Amino acid sequence: MANKATVASEEQNFILTSLSPSRGQKRLALIIVLALLTALIFITAGRLSTIQLARIDAIVPAYATASFVNDSITAVLLFAQFSILRSRAVLVIASGYLFTALVVIAWVLTFPGLFAPTGLLGAGLQSATWLYMLWHSGFPVFVIAYALLKDADPPKPVDSVGAAILSSVAVIAFVVCGATFLIIAGDGLLPRLMIDATHITPLWTYGVWFSALLCVLALVVLWVRRRSVLDLWLMVVMCAYTTELCLNFSTRFSVGWYASRICGLLSGSLVLFVLLYESTVLYAQLLRAVFAQRREREARLATGDAVAATIAHEIKQPLSAMITNASAGIRWLDRPAPDCVKAKETFEQIAADGHRAGAVIESIRAIFKKEGRNRTSLDVNELIGEALALVHSDLQSYRIMVMTEPDGHLPLVNGDRVQLRQVLLNLMTNAIDAMADKDEPRTLSVRSNLYDGGGVLVSVADTGVGVGSQDADQIFNPLFTTKAHGMGLGLSICRSIIEAHNGRLWVAPNTPRGAVFQFVLRTDPPLAQQGA
């Protein structure tokens, strides 16, 4: 059960409702909020809200249609998030967007002058006004419930996602239909919010300020419990809701009234745009990760096939000779008059073949020491970027912060791109494994700079378990490993590749904890030297 919980927790790191907002997203959200505040102050302080503009009767149905479409799609996307996370908080906010989409339908059907003089449902201005108040008071309540539930202890897991979604849809539809029926049926009994299309009552003012207060309360609760991308943009939505309500004291078709409709469209579109954008980004990252894993798997299979073929070719002959000589030695000793001299010669040949089989590992290392045919001039910083891209998903999964300090004035090095990238990938993977079970902060530092003795120095540092002093001298030996399921070949192959490039690879302790693996590569000779 613990392993399942850990896997679920790691998977949630890639879900939009659990991703932390980036610095760019925070900056964009702040710009939108400041723009809303500036528009509110400019319109109200400059008394522009009373200026009448051209009458556009289509603005109300267009506004209602856009709001319904935006909120419906947002609700569907959030229900999809719930089907993955099974979080009741996500279910609540998805139901909130569904609530607003359904209330918009009732509101536009009762709005006077659109489909009929007193509205298609025959209710009139008062019912439309009460439904508008229900719309802008109900959604902040859903946001508050979402903020309070998202950090609570997880309840019992939802057995059936489909049943939970259908139940939520049924309950929201019943509530909206019931509230609409009561408002229309009690049209003559409810307190009047508006005298006519241009005059309001004091109760309207109290209702607007009550809805605005709910929006501010939702904003405060979200601010205290903010953590994810969804939290950030719901705060912006609450700011847009508040701005829309503050501009709703304007008469119809005035500057303030049109500005209020624009704020309403903005509040209904923000989360939808963010969900679509983040889904696209995550999908692209997923494709890159899948392609990178496929390339890495193919490279490992190719390397494994090459190593297996080399071992089979090199060791088959000495093993066959050992078997043949062993059988011959048994026959020499099994004769009525054992020939000890012949048997001794046979055993000496077996020993020689054994030593020859033991040299197979050195012959495999010699493969890496041969001059590569694909060596070209390489930019070390580009190789670092390519390796970081390959381990991007693992870095995000374990919440590891990456610090890169590339020297932009490094000379080019001469080497095999695939082999050197594999060295960087192996060192970064080892660093990630070393930090996987450690508490934060988890930091992977990759630096490149000129080496005092000549060449380019690359450092890969982590804040993991480190390498003990007793293991530092033998960690590069073949078949030596400190991992529970390691094979002890990765670092040995890395050193072989670096040495084949006339370089050097070593390890040192990191401060305050962890290890630093460093290697030096020779630079390209000057053009004059190449010509000589």
Side-chain angles (χ1 to χ4, degrees):
M1 294 297 292
N3 292 336
K4 291 182 179 180
T6 303
V7 171
S9 176
E10 292 177 352
E11 289 177 350
Q12 291 184 16
N13 296 331
F14 299 95
I15 304 299
L16 300 180
T17 50
S18 301
L19 279 174
S20 298
S22 64
R23 183 176 299 177
Q25 290 173 330
K26 293 178 181 178
R27 188 181 298 113
L28 178 60
L30 179 61
I31 291 173
I32 294 176
V33 172
L34 291 177
L36 290 171
L37 182 61
T38 302
L40 177 62
I41 295 174
F42 180 75
I43 293 174
T44 55
R47 297 184 179 181
L48 300 178
S49 58
T50 58
I51 298 177
Q52 291 295 122
L53 299 178
R55 180 188 179 98
I56 304 177
D57 293 325
I59 191 68
V60 173
Y63 167 70
T65 302
S67 298
F68 171 75
V69 172
N70 290 340
D71 292 341
S72 298
I73 298 176
T74 304
V76 171
L77 293 175
L78 288 172
F79 278 127
Q81 294 283 315
F82 166 74
S83 67
I84 301 173
L85 283 176
R86 303 196 176 191
S87 166
R88 299 187 187 278
V90 178
L91 181 63
V92 166
I93 195 61
S95 301
Y97 273 97
L98 177 63
F99 170 83
T100 60
L102 296 181
V103 172
V104 166
I105 297 176
W107 175 72
V108 76
L109 290 179
T110 57
F111 199 91
L114 291 184
F115 303 101
T118 59
L120 189 62
L121 299 180
L125 180 62
Q126 298 303 318
S127 296
T129 307
W130 275 104
L131 285 171
Y132 181 86
M133 200 65 66
L134 176 66
W135 171 8
H136 287 75
S137 299
F139 184 70
V141 174
F142 281 96
V143 174
I144 293 172
Y146 159 78
L148 295 177
L149 285 174
K150 70 187 187 71
D151 290 332
D153 293 334
K156 294 181 179 179
V158 180
D159 295 329
S160 175
V161 173
I165 294 176
L166 290 177
S167 300
S168 299
V169 172
V171 170
I172 295 300
F174 176 79
V175 170
V176 172
C177 291
T180 303
F181 174 79
L182 292 176
I183 289 174
I184 294 175
D187 184 70
L189 301 177
L190 291 172
R192 298 177 66 83
L193 296 175
M194 300 189 69
I195 299 174
D196 52 40
T198 58
H199 296 86
I200 61 175
T201 66
L203 184 59
W204 165 262
T205 304
Y206 297 144
V208 169
W209 287 122
F210 175 75
S211 299
L213 181 62
L214 286 176
C215 293
V216 173
L217 179 60
L219 180 62
V220 171
V221 177
L222 281 171
W223 175 265
V224 173
R225 294 171 172 263
R226 69 189 186 280
R227 185 180 68 240
S228 67
V229 173
L230 183 59
D231 299 340
L232 173 68
W233 290 103
L234 281 177
M235 288 191 290
V236 180
V237 169
M238 288 297 96
C239 291
Y241 257 72
T242 306
T243 305
E244 177 187 358
L245 290 168
C246 292
L247 293 172
N248 249 321
F249 295 101
S250 309
T251 57
R252 192 181 299 181
F253 303 115
S254 64
V255 172
W257 188 82
Y258 279 113
S260 176
R261 302 286 82 80
I262 294 174
C263 289
L265 289 176
L266 179 65
S267 65
S269 305
L270 280 174
V271 171
L272 173 61
F273 289 159
V274 170
L275 285 171
L276 293 176
Y277 172 77
E278 292 294 337
S279 296
T280 304
V281 171
L282 286 177
Y283 180 72
Q285 292 178 352
L286 176 62
L287 282 181
R288 286 195 294 268
V290 170
F291 291 151
Q293 288 180 353
R294 182 180 299 174
R295 289 193 298 268
E296 181 182 354
R297 182 169 60 252
E298 290 174 353
R300 288 180 177 178
L301 289 175
T303 303
D305 290 342
V307 172
T310 302
I311 293 175
H313 179 270
E314 295 291 334
I315 210 170
K316 181 178 181 180
Q317 184 177 2
L319 284 179
S320 299
M322 291 169 67
I323 294 172
T324 301
N325 289 328
S327 300
I330 292 174
R331 287 196 301 271
W332 287 120
L333 294 176
D334 198 32
R335 300 176 69 175
D339 192 337
C340 295
V341 176
K342 292 289 185 180
K344 181 181 177 182
E345 292 177 355
T346 303
F347 294 145
E348 288 176 349
Q349 292 177 1
I350 292 175
D353 290 332
H355 289 299
R356 188 153 59 96
V360 168
I361 297 298
E362 292 301 324
S363 67
I364 295 174
R365 292 190 62 184
I367 294 175
F368 293 101
K369 292 183 179 180
K370 291 180 180 178
E371 289 296 327
R373 298 179 180 177
N374 297 322
R375 293 194 178 184
T376 57
S377 297
L378 303 173
D379 185 344
V380 171
N381 293 328
E382 288 183 2
L383 290 176
I384 293 174
E386 292 172 4
L388 285 173
L390 291 175
V391 297
H392 177 75
S393 58
D394 289 337
L395 293 171
Q396 278 196 334
S397 176
Y398 293 106
R399 297 182 180 179
I400 296 175
M401 181 177 66
V402 178
M403 296 179 59
T404 57
E405 296 182 17
D407 187 343
H409 303 285
L410 291 178
L412 300 178
V413 300
N414 183 271
D416 188 303
R417 175 180 292 273
V418 176
Q419 290 184 354
L420 294 179
R421 183 175 57 196
Q422 192 66 28
V423 170
L424 284 167
L425 184 62
N426 194 298
L427 296 180
M428 292 177 185
T429 303
N430 287 345
I432 293 172
D433 293 340
M435 294 184 286
D437 298 327
K438 302 297 291 184
D439 296 330
E440 295 183 355
R442 305 187 187 108
T443 304
L444 174 66
S445 301
V446 185
R447 298 182 177 88
S448 63
N449 52 280
L450 286 172
Y451 186 58
D452 295 337
V456 174
L457 174 66
V458 179
S459 302
V460 179
D462 61 73
T463 57
V465 295
V467 178
S469 57
Q470 69 279 7
D471 299 330
D473 294 333
Q474 52 183 342
I475 194 170
F476 296 100
N477 293 341
L479 305 180
F480 178 84
T481 180
T482 58
K483 298 180 182 180
H485 304 286
M487 298 182 62
L489 294 175
L491 289 176
S492 174
I493 293 176
C494 287
R495 172 170 277 187
S496 298
I497 293 174
I498 297 299
E499 290 177 352
H501 286 76
N502 296 329
R504 187 166 62 93
L505 171 65
W506 70 94
V507 64
N510 193 16
T511 304
R513 67 178 187 180
V516 183
F517 285 85
Q518 297 175 298
F519 61 88
V520 175
L521 296 171
R522 67 174 184 176
T523 58
D524 265 348
L527 293 177
Q529 184 177 346
Q530 291 180 5

Tab-separated table of all heavy atoms in Angstrom, residues 311 358 361 364-365 474-483 486-493:
chain	number	residue	atom	x	y	z
A	311	ILE	N	31.962	-10.368	-25.948
A	311	ILE	CA	32.268	-11.369	-24.915
A	311	ILE	C	32.167	-12.777	-25.496
A	311	ILE	O	33.032	-13.637	-25.264
A	311	ILE	CB	31.319	-11.197	-23.716
A	311	ILE	CG1	31.602	-9.865	-23.011
A	311	ILE	CG2	31.473	-12.346	-22.731
A	311	ILE	CD1	30.630	-9.563	-21.882
A	358	GLY	N	40.358	-14.685	-18.659
A	358	GLY	CA	40.326	-13.582	-17.702
A	358	GLY	C	40.691	-12.252	-18.309
A	358	GLY	O	40.367	-11.189	-17.749
A	361	ILE	N	37.893	-9.011	-20.159
A	361	ILE	CA	37.443	-7.684	-19.698
A	361	ILE	C	38.374	-6.606	-20.225
A	361	ILE	O	37.933	-5.543	-20.680
A	361	ILE	CB	37.393	-7.643	-18.158
A	361	ILE	CG1	36.367	-8.663	-17.636
A	361	ILE	CG2	37.025	-6.240	-17.678
A	361	ILE	CD1	34.946	-8.380	-18.090
A	364	ILE	N	37.659	-5.902	-23.796
A	364	ILE	CA	36.452	-5.083	-23.980
A	364	ILE	C	36.774	-3.617	-23.724
A	364	ILE	O	36.317	-2.721	-24.441
A	364	ILE	CB	35.322	-5.572	-23.059
A	364	ILE	CG1	34.902	-6.999	-23.463
A	364	ILE	CG2	34.135	-4.632	-23.099
A	364	ILE	CD1	33.894	-7.624	-22.537
A	365	ARG	N	37.593	-3.346	-22.703
A	365	ARG	CA	37.995	-1.965	-22.443
A	365	ARG	C	38.794	-1.408	-23.613
A	365	ARG	O	38.725	-0.225	-23.926
A	365	ARG	CB	38.840	-1.898	-21.177
A	365	ARG	CG	38.065	-2.203	-19.903
A	365	ARG	CD	38.895	-1.892	-18.686
A	365	ARG	NE	39.235	-0.479	-18.652
A	365	ARG	CZ	40.030	0.071	-17.721
A	365	ARG	NH1	40.562	-0.692	-16.779
A	365	ARG	NH2	40.287	1.353	-17.731
A	474	GLN	N	37.868	2.612	-5.383
A	474	GLN	CA	37.481	1.461	-6.204
A	474	GLN	C	36.129	1.632	-6.893
A	474	GLN	O	35.627	0.691	-7.513
A	474	GLN	CB	37.437	0.205	-5.332
A	474	GLN	CG	36.604	0.335	-4.073
A	474	GLN	CD	36.655	-0.908	-3.202
A	474	GLN	OE1	37.040	-1.981	-3.667
A	474	GLN	NE2	36.270	-0.772	-1.941
A	475	ILE	N	35.548	2.835	-6.805
A	475	ILE	CA	34.217	3.008	-7.378
A	475	ILE	C	34.231	2.915	-8.898
A	475	ILE	O	33.222	2.605	-9.528
A	475	ILE	CB	33.622	4.363	-6.917
A	475	ILE	CG1	32.130	4.384	-7.216
A	475	ILE	CG2	34.322	5.534	-7.593
A	475	ILE	CD1	31.403	5.554	-6.601
A	476	PHE	N	35.393	3.164	-9.516
A	476	PHE	CA	35.497	3.064	-10.976
A	476	PHE	C	35.933	1.680	-11.445
A	476	PHE	O	36.101	1.460	-12.653
A	476	PHE	CB	36.474	4.119	-11.514
A	476	PHE	CG	36.023	5.529	-11.292
A	476	PHE	CD1	36.531	6.293	-10.253
A	476	PHE	CD2	35.067	6.086	-12.117
A	476	PHE	CE1	36.106	7.593	-10.057
A	476	PHE	CE2	34.638	7.384	-11.932
A	476	PHE	CZ	35.154	8.146	-10.886
A	477	ASN	N	36.150	0.761	-10.506
A	477	ASN	CA	36.550	-0.588	-10.895
A	477	ASN	C	35.373	-1.344	-11.497
A	477	ASN	O	34.222	-1.171	-11.057
A	477	ASN	CB	37.079	-1.367	-9.683
A	477	ASN	CG	38.380	-0.781	-9.166
A	477	ASN	OD1	39.071	-0.045	-9.889
A	477	ASN	ND2	38.719	-1.090	-7.929
A	478	PRO	N	35.615	-2.195	-12.499
A	478	PRO	CA	34.518	-2.980	-13.071
A	478	PRO	C	33.872	-3.878	-12.027
A	478	PRO	O	34.545	-4.450	-11.150
A	478	PRO	CB	35.216	-3.815	-14.160
A	478	PRO	CG	36.473	-3.069	-14.474
A	478	PRO	CD	36.892	-2.418	-13.192
A	479	LEU	N	32.550	-3.972	-12.102
A	479	LEU	CA	31.730	-4.848	-11.253
A	479	LEU	C	31.668	-4.397	-9.802
A	479	LEU	O	31.083	-5.100	-8.973
A	479	LEU	CB	32.218	-6.298	-11.325
A	479	LEU	CG	32.302	-6.907	-12.730
A	479	LEU	CD1	32.789	-8.346	-12.650
A	479	LEU	CD2	30.969	-6.828	-13.439
A	480	PHE	N	32.228	-3.223	-9.475
A	480	PHE	CA	32.080	-2.688	-8.114
A	480	PHE	C	30.927	-1.676	-8.124
A	480	PHE	O	30.878	-0.782	-8.957
A	480	PHE	CB	33.355	-2.002	-7.643
A	480	PHE	CG	33.216	-1.390	-6.270
A	480	PHE	CD1	33.397	-2.153	-5.130
A	480	PHE	CD2	32.868	-0.045	-6.125
A	480	PHE	CE1	33.251	-1.597	-3.869
A	480	PHE	CE2	32.723	0.515	-4.859
A	480	PHE	CZ	32.913	-0.268	-3.743
A	481	THR	N	30.005	-1.834	-7.185
A	481	THR	CA	28.850	-0.948	-7.120
A	481	THR	C	28.437	-0.734	-5.671
A	481	THR	O	28.647	-1.611	-4.819
A	481	THR	CB	27.664	-1.520	-7.927
A	481	THR	OG1	26.552	-0.623	-7.830
A	481	THR	CG2	27.233	-2.880	-7.398
A	482	THR	N	27.863	0.444	-5.404
A	482	THR	CA	27.297	0.749	-4.087
A	482	THR	C	25.786	0.713	-4.114
A	482	THR	O	25.143	0.976	-3.100
A	482	THR	CB	27.750	2.144	-3.627
A	482	THR	OG1	27.343	3.122	-4.595
A	482	THR	CG2	29.257	2.200	-3.462
A	483	LYS	N	25.194	0.397	-5.285
A	483	LYS	CA	23.738	0.315	-5.406
A	483	LYS	C	23.269	-1.097	-5.113
A	483	LYS	O	23.968	-2.070	-5.377
A	483	LYS	CB	23.293	0.718	-6.818
A	483	LYS	CG	23.646	2.156	-7.202
A	483	LYS	CD	23.159	2.449	-8.615
A	483	LYS	CE	23.526	3.838	-9.048
A	483	LYS	NZ	23.058	4.135	-10.432
A	486	GLY	N	22.730	-2.480	-8.656
A	486	GLY	CA	23.654	-2.032	-9.687
A	486	GLY	C	24.488	-3.166	-10.240
A	486	GLY	O	24.634	-4.224	-9.623
A	487	MET	N	25.049	-2.958	-11.439
A	487	MET	CA	25.901	-3.960	-12.082
A	487	MET	C	27.370	-3.620	-11.976
A	487	MET	O	28.220	-4.454	-12.283
A	487	MET	CB	25.507	-4.105	-13.555
A	487	MET	CG	24.077	-4.594	-13.774
A	487	MET	SD	23.704	-4.797	-15.527
A	487	MET	CE	24.889	-6.060	-15.953
A	488	GLY	N	27.694	-2.381	-11.602
A	488	GLY	CA	29.090	-2.010	-11.445
A	488	GLY	C	29.824	-1.796	-12.750
A	488	GLY	O	31.042	-1.963	-12.807
A	489	LEU	N	29.110	-1.453	-13.834
A	489	LEU	CA	29.744	-1.246	-15.133
A	489	LEU	C	29.686	0.204	-15.596
A	489	LEU	O	30.503	0.631	-16.410
A	489	LEU	CB	29.079	-2.138	-16.197
A	489	LEU	CG	29.261	-3.643	-16.035
A	489	LEU	CD1	28.459	-4.387	-17.086
A	489	LEU	CD2	30.727	-4.013	-16.128
A	490	GLY	N	28.697	0.979	-15.105
A	490	GLY	CA	28.471	2.327	-15.616
A	490	GLY	C	29.666	3.243	-15.459
A	490	GLY	O	30.167	3.817	-16.443
A	491	LEU	N	30.174	3.402	-14.240
A	491	LEU	CA	31.303	4.306	-14.004
A	491	LEU	C	32.585	3.784	-14.640
A	491	LEU	O	33.428	4.571	-15.087
A	491	LEU	CB	31.494	4.515	-12.498
A	491	LEU	CG	30.423	5.356	-11.811
A	491	LEU	CD1	30.665	5.418	-10.313
A	491	LEU	CD2	30.390	6.770	-12.389
A	492	SER	N	32.727	2.469	-14.686
A	492	SER	CA	33.903	1.902	-15.347
A	492	SER	C	33.909	2.243	-16.833
A	492	SER	O	34.942	2.630	-17.396
A	492	SER	CB	33.925	0.380	-15.152
A	492	SER	OG	34.976	-0.200	-15.893
A	493	ILE	N	32.755	2.114	-17.475
A	493	ILE	CA	32.660	2.460	-18.895
A	493	ILE	C	32.866	3.955	-19.090
A	493	ILE	O	33.515	4.386	-20.051
A	493	ILE	CB	31.293	2.001	-19.454
A	493	ILE	CG1	31.220	0.468	-19.449
A	493	ILE	CG2	31.060	2.550	-20.849
A	493	ILE	CD1	29.879	-0.085	-19.883
